[in-house]
Amino acid sequence: MSETEKLAPYIPEAGSVTMFTTSWCGYCRNLKRLMDAKGIGYTEVNIEEVEGTAELVEAFNGGNQTVPTLIFPDGTSATNPRIEEVLERV
């Protein structure tokens, strides 16, 4: 299966993002809090619990399992973005 095919289920609807996280990530908790405050919808996917997602995050981050990694409606990604960037790209 190609990376595009692996990514397809995680591309969010317009106005929201998919957020790859871990249970222990402080940056993830902070970004979720900010997105909640700004009314940005998101689907959280824990890469420690959902098979194949750690490898997907690695593909976006040069082999690293860096979170938070967000997927936007256009299929692009951002790793540990500022809330301003998220607002611009949603």
mmCIF file of all heavy atoms in Angstrom, residues 19-49:
data_model
loop_
_atom_site.group_PDB
_atom_site.id
_atom_site.type_symbol
_atom_site.label_atom_id
_atom_site.label_comp_id
_atom_site.label_asym_id
_atom_site.label_seq_id
_atom_site.Cartn_x
_atom_site.Cartn_y
_atom_site.Cartn_z
ATOM 1 N N MET A 19 -4.988 14.908 14.151
ATOM 2 C CA MET A 19 -3.830 15.183 14.998
ATOM 3 C C MET A 19 -3.269 13.875 15.531
ATOM 4 O O MET A 19 -3.922 13.173 16.301
ATOM 5 C CB MET A 19 -4.252 16.080 16.158
ATOM 6 C CG MET A 19 -3.151 16.468 17.082
ATOM 7 S SD MET A 19 -3.830 17.593 18.322
ATOM 8 C CE MET A 19 -2.349 18.029 19.179
ATOM 9 N N PHE A 20 -2.056 13.539 15.094
ATOM 10 C CA PHE A 20 -1.368 12.354 15.588
ATOM 11 C C PHE A 20 -0.656 12.736 16.886
ATOM 12 O O PHE A 20 0.062 13.742 16.945
ATOM 13 C CB PHE A 20 -0.374 11.831 14.557
ATOM 14 C CG PHE A 20 -1.046 11.297 13.320
ATOM 15 C CD1 PHE A 20 -1.100 12.042 12.166
ATOM 16 C CD2 PHE A 20 -1.650 10.046 13.322
ATOM 17 C CE1 PHE A 20 -1.729 11.561 11.024
ATOM 18 C CE2 PHE A 20 -2.282 9.549 12.191
ATOM 19 C CZ PHE A 20 -2.313 10.315 11.042
ATOM 20 N N THR A 21 -0.878 11.938 17.931
ATOM 21 C CA THR A 21 -0.379 12.249 19.263
ATOM 22 C C THR A 21 0.188 10.998 19.937
ATOM 23 O O THR A 21 0.134 9.903 19.382
ATOM 24 C CB THR A 21 -1.522 12.774 20.160
ATOM 25 O OG1 THR A 21 -2.468 11.712 20.376
ATOM 26 C CG2 THR A 21 -2.229 13.965 19.550
ATOM 27 N N THR A 22 0.660 11.197 21.163
ATOM 28 C CA THR A 22 0.939 10.109 22.101
ATOM 29 C C THR A 22 0.292 10.506 23.424
ATOM 30 O O THR A 22 -0.062 11.677 23.626
ATOM 31 C CB THR A 22 2.446 9.880 22.330
ATOM 32 O OG1 THR A 22 3.009 11.078 22.887
ATOM 33 C CG2 THR A 22 3.163 9.501 21.047
ATOM 34 N N SER A 23 0.156 9.568 24.318
ATOM 35 C CA SER A 23 -0.496 9.850 25.596
ATOM 36 C C SER A 23 0.343 10.744 26.502
ATOM 37 O O SER A 23 -0.182 11.419 27.380
ATOM 38 C CB SER A 23 -0.812 8.538 26.313
ATOM 39 O OG SER A 23 0.378 7.797 26.496
ATOM 40 N N TRP A 24 1.642 10.792 26.299
ATOM 41 C CA TRP A 24 2.546 11.508 27.190
ATOM 42 C C TRP A 24 3.033 12.852 26.633
ATOM 43 O O TRP A 24 3.817 13.546 27.267
ATOM 44 C CB TRP A 24 3.759 10.634 27.500
ATOM 45 C CG TRP A 24 4.348 10.010 26.270
ATOM 46 C CD1 TRP A 24 4.062 8.770 25.772
ATOM 47 C CD2 TRP A 24 5.273 10.600 25.357
ATOM 48 N NE1 TRP A 24 4.753 8.549 24.600
ATOM 49 C CE2 TRP A 24 5.509 9.669 24.324
ATOM 50 C CE3 TRP A 24 5.921 11.820 25.306
ATOM 51 C CZ2 TRP A 24 6.368 9.916 23.255
ATOM 52 C CZ3 TRP A 24 6.781 12.079 24.241
ATOM 53 C CH2 TRP A 24 6.997 11.126 23.234
ATOM 54 N N CYS A 25 2.549 13.267 25.477
ATOM 55 C CA CYS A 25 3.076 14.447 24.776
ATOM 56 C C CYS A 25 2.486 15.750 25.323
ATOM 57 O O CYS A 25 1.307 16.043 25.117
ATOM 58 C CB CYS A 25 2.777 14.319 23.285
ATOM 59 S SG CYS A 25 3.211 15.785 22.317
ATOM 60 N N GLY A 26 3.311 16.538 25.978
ATOM 61 C CA GLY A 26 2.884 17.834 26.498
ATOM 62 C C GLY A 26 2.543 18.823 25.393
ATOM 63 O O GLY A 26 1.601 19.614 25.516
ATOM 64 N N TYR A 27 3.302 18.811 24.298
ATOM 65 C CA TYR A 27 3.006 19.706 23.179
ATOM 66 C C TYR A 27 1.638 19.381 22.585
ATOM 67 O O TYR A 27 0.898 20.271 22.173
ATOM 68 C CB TYR A 27 4.075 19.598 22.089
ATOM 69 C CG TYR A 27 5.416 20.125 22.515
ATOM 70 C CD1 TYR A 27 6.479 19.259 22.745
ATOM 71 C CD2 TYR A 27 5.635 21.484 22.683
ATOM 72 C CE1 TYR A 27 7.725 19.737 23.137
ATOM 73 C CE2 TYR A 27 6.868 21.982 23.075
ATOM 74 C CZ TYR A 27 7.903 21.105 23.303
ATOM 75 O OH TYR A 27 9.120 21.587 23.693
ATOM 76 N N CYS A 28 1.296 18.099 22.560
ATOM 77 C CA CYS A 28 -0.016 17.677 22.050
ATOM 78 C C CYS A 28 -1.126 18.220 22.938
ATOM 79 O O CYS A 28 -2.120 18.772 22.440
ATOM 80 C CB CYS A 28 -0.105 16.150 21.981
ATOM 81 S SG CYS A 28 1.119 15.372 20.906
ATOM 82 N N ARG A 29 -0.980 18.057 24.237
ATOM 83 C CA ARG A 29 -1.995 18.553 25.180
ATOM 84 C C ARG A 29 -2.184 20.060 25.031
ATOM 85 O O ARG A 29 -3.318 20.563 25.027
ATOM 86 C CB ARG A 29 -1.623 18.200 26.617
ATOM 87 C CG ARG A 29 -1.878 16.754 26.969
ATOM 88 C CD ARG A 29 -1.749 16.498 28.467
ATOM 89 N NE ARG A 29 -0.416 16.771 28.986
ATOM 90 C CZ ARG A 29 0.602 15.921 28.943
ATOM 91 N NH1 ARG A 29 0.436 14.726 28.393
ATOM 92 N NH2 ARG A 29 1.765 16.233 29.440
ATOM 93 N N ASN A 30 -1.093 20.788 24.900
ATOM 94 C CA ASN A 30 -1.164 22.236 24.769
ATOM 95 C C ASN A 30 -1.867 22.636 23.468
ATOM 96 O O ASN A 30 -2.742 23.508 23.477
ATOM 97 C CB ASN A 30 0.245 22.840 24.818
ATOM 98 C CG ASN A 30 0.208 24.350 24.817
ATOM 99 O OD1 ASN A 30 -0.519 24.961 25.608
ATOM 100 N ND2 ASN A 30 0.976 24.956 23.936
ATOM 101 N N LEU A 31 -1.510 21.992 22.370
ATOM 102 C CA LEU A 31 -2.130 22.335 21.092
ATOM 103 C C LEU A 31 -3.614 21.974 21.094
ATOM 104 O O LEU A 31 -4.444 22.734 20.569
ATOM 105 C CB LEU A 31 -1.393 21.657 19.930
ATOM 106 C CG LEU A 31 -1.843 22.064 18.532
ATOM 107 C CD1 LEU A 31 -1.750 23.581 18.321
ATOM 108 C CD2 LEU A 31 -1.006 21.342 17.475
ATOM 109 N N LYS A 32 -3.976 20.852 21.696
ATOM 110 C CA LYS A 32 -5.396 20.487 21.789
ATOM 111 C C LYS A 32 -6.167 21.547 22.581
ATOM 112 O O LYS A 32 -7.272 21.937 22.188
ATOM 113 C CB LYS A 32 -5.569 19.108 22.451
ATOM 114 C CG LYS A 32 -5.177 17.955 21.545
ATOM 115 C CD LYS A 32 -5.540 16.623 22.146
ATOM 116 C CE LYS A 32 -4.685 16.301 23.337
ATOM 117 N NZ LYS A 32 -4.915 14.945 23.862
ATOM 118 N N ARG A 33 -5.582 22.017 23.672
ATOM 119 C CA ARG A 33 -6.220 23.054 24.486
ATOM 120 C C ARG A 33 -6.442 24.327 23.666
ATOM 121 O O ARG A 33 -7.527 24.919 23.701
ATOM 122 C CB ARG A 33 -5.357 23.347 25.720
ATOM 123 C CG ARG A 33 -5.939 24.388 26.662
ATOM 124 C CD ARG A 33 -5.006 24.693 27.832
ATOM 125 N NE ARG A 33 -3.661 25.063 27.446
ATOM 126 C CZ ARG A 33 -3.304 26.259 26.985
ATOM 127 N NH1 ARG A 33 -4.192 27.207 26.827
ATOM 128 N NH2 ARG A 33 -2.042 26.514 26.671
ATOM 129 N N LEU A 34 -5.438 24.724 22.904
ATOM 130 C CA LEU A 34 -5.552 25.924 22.072
ATOM 131 C C LEU A 34 -6.581 25.742 20.954
ATOM 132 O O LEU A 34 -7.358 26.656 20.662
ATOM 133 C CB LEU A 34 -4.185 26.289 21.480
ATOM 134 C CG LEU A 34 -3.138 26.771 22.489
ATOM 135 C CD1 LEU A 34 -1.768 26.854 21.836
ATOM 136 C CD2 LEU A 34 -3.542 28.106 23.085
ATOM 137 N N MET A 35 -6.593 24.562 20.329
ATOM 138 C CA MET A 35 -7.571 24.315 19.269
ATOM 139 C C MET A 35 -8.986 24.285 19.845
ATOM 140 O O MET A 35 -9.915 24.803 19.219
ATOM 141 C CB MET A 35 -7.239 23.022 18.518
ATOM 142 C CG MET A 35 -5.997 23.158 17.657
ATOM 143 S SD MET A 35 -5.727 21.828 16.462
ATOM 144 C CE MET A 35 -5.692 20.389 17.490
ATOM 145 N N ASP A 36 -9.157 23.719 21.033
ATOM 146 C CA ASP A 36 -10.458 23.734 21.687
ATOM 147 C C ASP A 36 -10.915 25.179 21.923
ATOM 148 O O ASP A 36 -12.067 25.529 21.654
ATOM 149 C CB ASP A 36 -10.420 22.991 23.024
ATOM 150 C CG ASP A 36 -10.345 21.475 22.881
ATOM 151 O OD1 ASP A 36 -10.694 20.952 21.798
ATOM 152 O OD2 ASP A 36 -9.936 20.821 23.862
ATOM 153 N N ALA A 37 -10.000 26.009 22.402
ATOM 154 C CA ALA A 37 -10.328 27.408 22.694
ATOM 155 C C ALA A 37 -10.700 28.185 21.422
ATOM 156 O O ALA A 37 -11.538 29.083 21.474
ATOM 157 C CB ALA A 37 -9.151 28.092 23.396
ATOM 158 N N LYS A 38 -10.092 27.826 20.299
ATOM 159 C CA LYS A 38 -10.352 28.517 19.032
ATOM 160 C C LYS A 38 -11.474 27.867 18.232
ATOM 161 O O LYS A 38 -11.834 28.344 17.161
ATOM 162 C CB LYS A 38 -9.080 28.557 18.172
ATOM 163 C CG LYS A 38 -7.926 29.309 18.791
ATOM 164 C CD LYS A 38 -8.180 30.786 18.836
ATOM 165 C CE LYS A 38 -6.946 31.526 19.357
ATOM 166 N NZ LYS A 38 -7.178 32.961 19.419
ATOM 167 N N GLY A 39 -12.011 26.762 18.719
ATOM 168 C CA GLY A 39 -13.111 26.097 18.031
ATOM 169 C C GLY A 39 -12.705 25.307 16.802
ATOM 170 O O GLY A 39 -13.514 25.081 15.911
ATOM 171 N N ILE A 40 -11.460 24.856 16.768
ATOM 172 C CA ILE A 40 -10.970 24.051 15.644
ATOM 173 C C ILE A 40 -11.263 22.582 15.937
ATOM 174 O O ILE A 40 -10.821 22.044 16.955
ATOM 175 C CB ILE A 40 -9.458 24.243 15.428
ATOM 176 C CG1 ILE A 40 -9.155 25.706 15.132
ATOM 177 C CG2 ILE A 40 -8.956 23.340 14.303
ATOM 178 C CD1 ILE A 40 -7.675 26.044 15.162
ATOM 179 N N GLY A 41 -12.007 21.943 15.042
ATOM 180 C CA GLY A 41 -12.303 20.532 15.216
ATOM 181 C C GLY A 41 -11.098 19.670 14.879
ATOM 182 O O GLY A 41 -10.323 19.992 13.987
ATOM 183 N N TYR A 42 -10.953 18.575 15.603
ATOM 184 C CA TYR A 42 -9.853 17.657 15.318
ATOM 185 C C TYR A 42 -10.228 16.239 15.700
ATOM 186 O O TYR A 42 -11.064 16.010 16.566
ATOM 187 C CB TYR A 42 -8.562 18.067 16.039
ATOM 188 C CG TYR A 42 -8.667 18.131 17.542
ATOM 189 C CD1 TYR A 42 -8.374 17.029 18.327
ATOM 190 C CD2 TYR A 42 -9.060 19.305 18.171
ATOM 191 C CE1 TYR A 42 -8.465 17.086 19.704
ATOM 192 C CE2 TYR A 42 -9.162 19.382 19.547
ATOM 193 C CZ TYR A 42 -8.864 18.273 20.313
ATOM 194 O OH TYR A 42 -8.957 18.328 21.683
ATOM 195 N N THR A 43 -9.593 15.319 15.012
ATOM 196 C CA THR A 43 -9.680 13.916 15.355
ATOM 197 C C THR A 43 -8.307 13.516 15.857
ATOM 198 O O THR A 43 -7.309 13.673 15.150
ATOM 199 C CB THR A 43 -10.058 13.065 14.124
ATOM 200 O OG1 THR A 43 -11.322 13.506 13.643
ATOM 201 C CG2 THR A 43 -10.106 11.583 14.474
ATOM 202 N N GLU A 44 -8.245 13.031 17.075
ATOM 203 C CA GLU A 44 -6.973 12.633 17.676
ATOM 204 C C GLU A 44 -6.707 11.160 17.382
ATOM 205 O O GLU A 44 -7.589 10.317 17.543
ATOM 206 C CB GLU A 44 -7.010 12.867 19.177
ATOM 207 C CG GLU A 44 -5.707 12.542 19.858
ATOM 208 C CD GLU A 44 -5.718 12.869 21.341
ATOM 209 O OE1 GLU A 44 -6.754 13.348 21.856
ATOM 210 O OE2 GLU A 44 -4.688 12.631 21.978
ATOM 211 N N VAL A 45 -5.477 10.865 16.942
ATOM 212 C CA VAL A 45 -5.056 9.494 16.671
ATOM 213 C C VAL A 45 -3.764 9.251 17.450
ATOM 214 O O VAL A 45 -2.734 9.869 17.163
ATOM 215 C CB VAL A 45 -4.821 9.269 15.154
ATOM 216 C CG1 VAL A 45 -4.359 7.840 14.905
ATOM 217 C CG2 VAL A 45 -6.070 9.605 14.357
ATOM 218 N N ASN A 46 -3.828 8.364 18.441
ATOM 219 C CA ASN A 46 -2.665 8.049 19.259
ATOM 220 C C ASN A 46 -1.813 7.029 18.507
ATOM 221 O O ASN A 46 -2.253 5.901 18.269
ATOM 222 C CB ASN A 46 -3.111 7.506 20.614
ATOM 223 C CG ASN A 46 -1.965 7.310 21.574
ATOM 224 O OD1 ASN A 46 -0.871 6.891 21.193
ATOM 225 N ND2 ASN A 46 -2.210 7.604 22.836
ATOM 226 N N ILE A 47 -0.589 7.420 18.157
ATOM 227 C CA ILE A 47 0.271 6.545 17.350
ATOM 228 C C ILE A 47 0.764 5.331 18.122
ATOM 229 O O ILE A 47 1.297 4.397 17.532
ATOM 230 C CB ILE A 47 1.447 7.308 16.712
ATOM 231 C CG1 ILE A 47 2.439 7.812 17.768
ATOM 232 C CG2 ILE A 47 0.935 8.440 15.843
ATOM 233 C CD1 ILE A 47 3.748 8.348 17.193
ATOM 234 N N GLU A 48 0.592 5.344 19.441
ATOM 235 C CA GLU A 48 0.962 4.178 20.247
ATOM 236 C C GLU A 48 -0.149 3.133 20.266
ATOM 237 O O GLU A 48 0.088 2.000 20.656
ATOM 238 C CB GLU A 48 1.267 4.616 21.679
ATOM 239 C CG GLU A 48 2.459 5.543 21.765
ATOM 240 C CD GLU A 48 2.637 6.118 23.159
ATOM 241 O OE1 GLU A 48 1.645 6.555 23.779
ATOM 242 O OE2 GLU A 48 3.789 6.123 23.624
ATOM 243 N N GLU A 49 -1.345 3.531 19.844
ATOM 244 C CA GLU A 49 -2.500 2.640 19.926
ATOM 245 C C GLU A 49 -3.066 2.218 18.574
ATOM 246 O O GLU A 49 -3.726 1.188 18.495
ATOM 247 C CB GLU A 49 -3.612 3.328 20.730
ATOM 248 C CG GLU A 49 -3.223 3.612 22.163
ATOM 249 C CD GLU A 49 -4.247 4.444 22.908
ATOM 250 O OE1 GLU A 49 -5.250 4.876 22.291
ATOM 251 O OE2 GLU A 49 -4.034 4.679 24.108
#
